[in-house]
Amino acid sequence: MKAFDYAAPASLPEAVGLLASQPSARLLAGGTDLLVQLRSGRKDADVVIDVKKIPELNEISFNPADGLTIGAAVPCYRLTADAAIQSHYPALVEVASWIGGTQIQGRASLGGNLCNSAPSADSIPLLIALGATALIAGPAGRRSVPVDEFCTAPGRNQLAPGELLVSIQIPAPAPFSGAAYLRFIPRNEMDIAVVGAGASVTLSNGVISAARVALSSVAPTPLFVPAAGESLLNQMPTAEALEAAAKIAQEAASPISDMRGTAAYRRHLCAVMVRRALELAVARAQEIN
Amino acid sequence: MSTTTYNVIGTRPVRHDGADKVTGRALYGADLQLARMIHGAVLRSPHAHARILRIDTSKAEAFPGVFAVVTAADFPEAPADKIVDFGEGDTMLSSLRGNILASGKVLYSGHAVAAVAAVNAHVAAEAAALIEVDYEPLPCVLTAPEAMAPGAPILHDDLPNGNVAELIRYEMGDLDAGFAEATVIVERELDTATVHQGYIEPQNATAFWSSDGRIHIWCSTQGSFVARDASAAVLDVPVSQVKVTPMEIGGGFGGKINVYLEPVAAMLSKKAGRPVKLVMSRRDVFTGTGPTPGSRVRVKIGVNDAGKITAAQAWLAYEAGAYPGAMVGPGAMTVFACYDIPNVLIEGFDVVVNKPSTAAYRAPGAPNSALATETVLDEIAEKLGLDPLELRLRNAAQEGTRRADGPRYKRIGCIEVLEAMKASPHYNAPLPGPNCGRGVAIGFWFNAGLPSSATLSVNADGTVNLIEGSTDIGGSRTSLSMQAAEVLGLRAEDIHPTIVDTDSVGYTGVTGGSRTTFSTGLAVHDAAQIVVEQMKARAARLWAVDEVAFSNGVFSANGQSFTFAELAAQLGATGGPVSCSATVNPKGVGGSIAGLIIDVKVDPETGKTDVLRVTSVQDAGKAIHPAYVEGQMQGGTAQGIGWALNEEYFMDTAGDMRNGSYLDYRMPTALDLPMIETIIVEVPNPGHPFGVRGVGEANIVPPLAAVANALYRATGKRLNRVPMNPATILGL
Ligand SMILES: Cc1cc2nc3c(=O)[nH]c(=O)nc-3n(C[C@H](O)[C@H](O)[C@H](O)COP(=O)(O)OP(=O)(O)OC[C@H]3O[C@@H](n4cnc5c(N)ncnc54)[C@H](O)[C@@H]3O)c2cc1C
């Protein structure tokens, strides 16, 4: 690893200013992706800007009207311990407890997971299913981008030079809604999703009135499949309906073969994991809440 | 079964190194700090097979902070046919040398090509990247069957049979006649992937080549004397010029017998005039050390109506990696070692391929071949409608059974292990539900003897210092101390073990071959007996008698008595300290049989296997420290299950390993295995005073086959390739 300079701005304007003068700087949240990449030589850096000292990036706030705001640098362990998240977004607690292990969760952030923009990122399909948006700050001020449009290629995203992620905003859960993220790994921990599936479902009088489905590890970016969710609209959440939606998601996938699984196996898993994620989301929506 | 009663042996004292290890005080190689020490980095080949046309180190040498750069050209030539023997079998010096730093050709991706020493490891790595190497890439060959095929790329011009380095053939009886007597014959061919031992601590070595020519090496090794002798051979210096200080070792499993970094660090130090430290990254460990061979094994077994095996045939091709030595010999010797079979033919092929040069891994070679034998027997048992353990019992090897490779067994615990499996609570419990399966298998390992030395010095306070040379991987400080304590009538805590460097103790072979508790234990036992004799003489002098009795730690004669401590306090007055050494080279090695029962559940939609319940059974001869025996059984079983289910070197077609990290190599974690139950069987080894058989290895032999058999019961499919991972189980 090459030597680099380090800065830790204490405010958002300071960070934006620093970034403007050092457009090639690397941003550091938990560092569980970045430091690994720097050490292995996959990335290098002259300047590293630590965003953990910026107050706005460390906030968690929830209110029933606006929903949930998660600062970009909030580590996973704070999400899993948060009472509001536990009661309104159980799937988010699960994802935050699956990323890495206990030590990793002490540092790893959802902001880092999103900005690292890996096709296999575990939180992104769920954020897409939950209809989350990314709040971005930069030289030209602030803007919002839906998470389902955020990633553009492996390791690439909508952030322009000089921009940084401030927070992730998730709408308040609708009544009778539920969400889930399931990933397939051959082991029970410490693995990268062979296929991951996120799903959300809203029921109105037992009929599906909204549904979103997204996948990880089956395309160059986490993959939002609007048609899968749309196929469920105005349907009862029957086994056949969920199965059909899963098949649509499977069709949309374009997996590759690598050391984590063959394309054929991944394609097979798409249908299984989406169906199971939908089943869990429906079960959660049906719980009295 | 073992009936002798002991005071110390068979108890579970706290290990002597426990406090240091759990508080982080124990010193490993990477912890070492020496005055003026600098740090190195190794440049490795990106090609699996290529000619080296040119190496230009000038930019690296000119890089600020660099002290020295070495390539193969800095090392003495290895004579073409010089053979070196480090006690674990012969090695060609040229292979050893060629693997340390490549010259002429690189033979695998990860092959070391050059090394740099600099002010710190980062500067060294940056400078190493500046070394220019011109390669002429050559076609590579990655599996044994491909390497044996006509027209395959050839790795070494000097091997007589293309890529086949050695042919092995064992024959006994009349094979055709044997198969003619059989009523059921099953033949299967199974492949296994290259896997790594997966020790946690990466290889490391620090060396200082002093201006007086003495070389001091600190490293993580299973055998300090082997590291010394191998380093001396590669550097072409007398062994007495090298001193190896073994640091604590974070696992080895056979993978830390060979040297990789030691001679390189020494040569860098010679050039730099300073101590040089080299530490591998995890990727270096995967691609630059010695995994265990991938293999193809075909086994055919015939059985008559009585369930007796009438004939058995095996064909084994093992991937040696870049240099000869695939452990196909032990694979061939163990393939039918558990059974009494009259007519046998075994053929083995040691095949070089463009992968890292393989090394020992716990019962090296045996799991690969047992996979085939034990799954074929499972199929035969099913065809005969016999319980799979019953079929094995009808054919189990016993005292006097002759193996196809020659030896006849002395006392061997095969029947006892099978009976213990049959009687176990696990084997008699129902399976929990659908998609579940139970598999069984057994396996054999020889264990090793080899020389060991030990010195015991009696302290005036009645304790005893134990000086020994076996690096402690699995609690051997304590299992050795316990043997001394048993002889001396002391407590394990009264013995203070220290593992010393190669200048400070007699020659001691590797901590490998399951030999330490057996061989070094014997040296300790013998030294302790000399201590007793000398102490008796002191008591005789004090009491002016001719005969002194010693029992349970008390010396006595004519109604007078001394405890060990009382007499120890009088040594100064009776002629001075007592300090006794013994060096042994024992022959009475006792082989070990292990068995495994495993229950799995397979998710029919994803192919994921959950391991539900596991029981490991093993003949320990005598369990000196039962907790450490159980630990060995659990460890070998965990590794075997990982090997069976998910582990493999995932190579691309160019021979580059794509999963060289613990994230993607997929060893089982603590969440992937249940508590592994253990049943220790004790059929004492007549060749050891306490009956010890080694226990470090046989336990990894059955898991591959046991898992395969369990998966068959759960899914109805017999797979022909390990790892039997989820995609393979679904056929995707
Ligand atoms: C052992 C281990 C296990 C892991 N397991 C998993 C797993 O199971 N699932 C999974 O999805 N991931 C896993 N990861 C990857 C990683 O932990 C996650 O992606 C994590 O969420 C990254 O968060 P971080 O805060 O550490 O990001 P960092 O490493 O700090 O940053 C990640 C990337 O985002 C950029 N970045 C950070 N903050 C901002 C910002 N505010 N604005 C713009 N860009 C920013 C950085 O420059 C960098 O490129 C694992 C990693 C390790 C080391």
Side-chain angles (χ1 to χ4, degrees), chain A residues 101-141:
Chain A
T102 304
Q103 295 91 330
I104 295 293
Q105 287 152 23
R107 283 278 176 185
S109 63
L110 293 198
N113 198 239
L114 182 58
C115 294
N116 188 57
S117 300
S120 59
D122 279 319
S123 75
I124 303 180
L126 179 66
L127 292 174
I128 293 174
L130 290 171
T133 52
L135 178 64
I136 297 168

Side-chain angles (χ1 to χ4, degrees), chain A residues 27 29-34 43 98 100 109 112-113 115 122 159 165 183:
Chain A
L27 295 170
T32 61
D33 279 315
L34 184 69
K43 277 187 184 164
W98 288 344
S109 63
N113 198 239
C115 294
D122 279 319
L159 290 174
L165 180 73
R183 68 172 178 183

Side-chain angles (χ1 to χ4, degrees), chain A residues 1-3 184-192 194 257-262 264-265 268-269 272-273 275-276, chain B residues 122 126 603 605-610 646 650 658-659 662-664 666-672 726-727 730 732:
Chain A
M1 182 162 68
K2 283 209 307 202
F184 180 80
I185 53 174
R187 294 188 290 190
N188 291 324
E189 64 169 343
M190 279 295 170
D191 224 325
I192 305 289
V194 181
S257 291
D258 66 8
M259 69 269 188
R260 296 184 188 132
T262 59
Y265 180 54
H268 166 83
L269 282 179
V272 177
M273 300 314 289
R275 195 202 71 227
R276 289 182 179 182
Chain B
H122 302 295
E126 266 192 78
D603 181 332
E605 283 190 320
T606 63
K608 179 163 186 273
T609 299
D610 280 319
N646 283 307
F650 189 92
R658 303 311 299 267
N659 60 339
Y662 278 162
L663 191 55
D664 285 319
R666 291 174 172 162
M667 293 201 303
T669 72
L671 292 188
D672 298 309
L730 294 189
L732 296 167

Side-chain angles (χ1 to χ4, degrees), chain B residues 49 93 136 144 371 378 391 399 402 462 492 537 593 714 722:
Chain B
H49 196 191
L93 181 58
E136 176 197 334
L371 168 66
D378 197 61
L391 174 66
E399 189 166 351
R402 191 178 158 231
I593 300 276
V722 161

Side-chain angles (χ1 to χ4, degrees), chain B residues 456-480:
Chain B
L456 291 170
S457 303
V458 181
N459 296 313
D461 61 4
T463 63
V464 174
N465 296 339
L466 163 59
I467 308 295
E468 45 115 350
S470 289
T471 50
D472 183 356
I473 311 186
S476 56
R477 282 181 179 90
T478 304
S479 65
L480 299 175

Side-chain angles (χ1 to χ4, degrees), chain A residues 6-99:
Chain A
Y6 171 85
S11 73
L12 198 50
E14 193 189 335
V16 172
L18 252 174
L19 209 47
S21 63
Q22 308 269 10
S24 69
R26 302 266 179 206
L27 295 170
L28 172 85
T32 61
D33 279 315
L34 184 69
L35 293 180
V36 176
Q37 291 158 358
L38 291 178
R39 285 184 60 147
S40 69
R42 261 179 293 160
K43 277 187 184 164
D44 56 20
D46 296 322
V47 185
V48 167
I49 299 178
D50 186 344
V51 298
K52 283 193 292 295
K53 305 249 155 67
I54 305 170
E56 251 189 289
L57 273 70
N58 275 307
E59 275 168 22
I60 304 179
S61 67
F62 174 77
N63 70 65
D66 305 327
L68 179 66
T69 299
I70 302 171
V74 172
C76 288
Y77 85 92
R78 284 183 55 203
L79 301 178
T80 54
D82 188 279
I85 299 179
Q86 284 170 357
S87 64
H88 299 292
Y89 306 93
L92 206 52
V93 173
E94 287 165 358
V95 164
S97 68
W98 288 344
I99 292 179

